[in-house]
Amino acid sequence: MSLPAPTVDARAVVTGASSGIGEALAAELAARGHSLIVVARRGDLLNALADRLTREHGVAVEVRVSDLSDPGQRQTLADELADRDVSILCNNAGIATFGPVAKLDPDYERAQVQLNAVAVHDLTLAVLPGMIARGAGGILITGSAAGNMAIPNNATYAATKAFVNTFSESLRAELASTGVHCTLLAPGPVRTETPDPADASIVDKLVPDFLWIDSAYTARLSLDGLEKNKMRIVPGILSKGMSVAGQYSPRFITAPIVGSFYKKLGGE
């Protein structure tokens, strides 16, 4: 079965929609005729996005300002989505940290686990019963090539993405006869545009330009893959290389090599 066609009442939900892949997913879904619920912490960016997508594509766009790392705010959204006709859920929101975990802010590390892993689980569980009852739906989960390997100096992020990578691919098998699609997006570095050198982050400076993947291209590829119910979408040379290395190379070999690069991202 294909994904549900856009309707007046149904909504495609995108978390982390204020920038990057999430913004690109929202734009691509709107271009395909889907009305939306967009979720992020930055209300100003969400409202600007909603206005633009409604103006350009004539779709309804509802804004939900929510910090999904906060259990209370997350539960409020989950309760709403459980009662809505959600045709597509793009579990995209996420954050990352770099450096030895013992030197990082413990509260922020806990928030990272809540956002990257627990929120994905909670929102998926909220929409699944309705999708299964309707016999149609799509769940796109943004994992990472980093979730395939042990990465010192990126430990919490890699661990949360390992969870969502495995959860997504396991869930897809469980949904095989339900009409509900589930696809994992496992990208490497993705950005919307090349930054000015003066504004470039340490990640921009360390990762060569040819390894970056465009966010709009990533969104199109991901939604096309979800339509076909592909298990995993891996855009870009670097993400493909990390996936292969993570799946087939011994971790005692790859961990020190990859960890030395991520140590630089942590400023050490």
Side-chain angles (χ1 to χ4, degrees):
M1 294 182 64
S2 61
L3 292 174
T7 68
V8 173
D9 295 326
R11 293 291 183 270
V13 179
V14 182
T15 68
S18 59
S19 63
I21 295 174
E23 182 180 4
L25 285 168
E28 183 65 23
L29 285 163
R32 299 182 186 202
H34 292 276
S35 290
L36 298 161
I37 298 174
V38 292
V39 184
R41 292 180 298 173
R42 292 285 303 276
D44 54 341
L45 296 179
L46 286 183
N47 285 315
L49 175 64
D51 291 344
R52 176 168 64 86
L53 297 183
T54 298
R55 183 176 63 254
E56 293 179 356
H57 303 292
V59 297
V61 182
E62 302 177 42
V63 168
R64 298 292 182 271
V65 179
S66 180
D67 179 355
L68 295 179
S69 69
D70 179 273
Q73 295 185 45
R74 185 171 67 242
Q75 188 62 53
T76 298
L77 179 65
D79 289 344
E80 178 188 359
L81 297 186
D83 292 332
R84 299 290 298 269
D85 181 353
V86 175
S87 54
I88 297 171
L89 170 64
C90 297
N91 264 317
N92 171 74
I95 55 176
T97 50
F98 305 103
V101 69
K103 296 182 179 180
L104 299 175
D105 178 359
D107 289 337
Y108 197 77
E109 294 300 288
R110 295 186 188 99
Q112 188 174 180
V113 174
Q114 289 288 323
L115 179 62
N116 292 6
V118 182
V120 169
H121 197 252
D122 284 353
L123 298 186
T124 299
L125 295 183
V127 304
L128 265 181
M131 288 183 175
I132 292 172
R134 291 186 291 273
I139 299 172
L140 178 69
I141 297 178
T142 301
S144 175
N148 299 320
M149 53 177 52
I151 304 183
N153 302 298
N154 192 222
T156 300
Y157 179 81
T160 60
K161 292 304 181 179
F163 169 82
V164 298
N165 285 7
T166 303
F167 175 64
S168 175
E169 294 180 343
S170 301
L171 179 61
R172 178 180 177 276
E174 293 181 3
L175 297 173
S177 61
T178 66
V180 180
H181 295 190
C182 184
T183 294
L184 170 70
L185 167 61
V190 176
R191 64 187 179 193
T192 303
E193 59 187 12
T194 303
D196 183 280
D199 300 323
S201 69
I202 188 170
V203 181
D204 289 303
K205 294 175 181 177
L206 289 175
V207 177
D209 286 342
F210 75 92
L211 291 177
W212 288 92
I213 303 301
D214 177 67
S215 58
Y217 167 77
T218 300
R220 288 193 300 272
L221 194 69
S222 301
L223 293 174
D224 288 346
L226 182 63
E227 176 75 30
K228 298 172 184 176
N229 200 24
K230 289 189 174 182
M231 177 179 285
R232 179 184 287 225
I233 301 296
V234 186
I237 297 173
L238 182 58
S239 55
K240 286 181 171 63
M242 291 178 67
S243 292
V244 171
Q247 291 173 346
Y248 299 108
S249 300
R251 293 193 172 191
F252 76 88
I253 293 176
T254 59
I257 297 171
V258 178
S260 64
F261 173 77
Y262 278 81
K263 186 176 182 180
K264 296 177 183 178
L265 296 182
E268 296 192 13

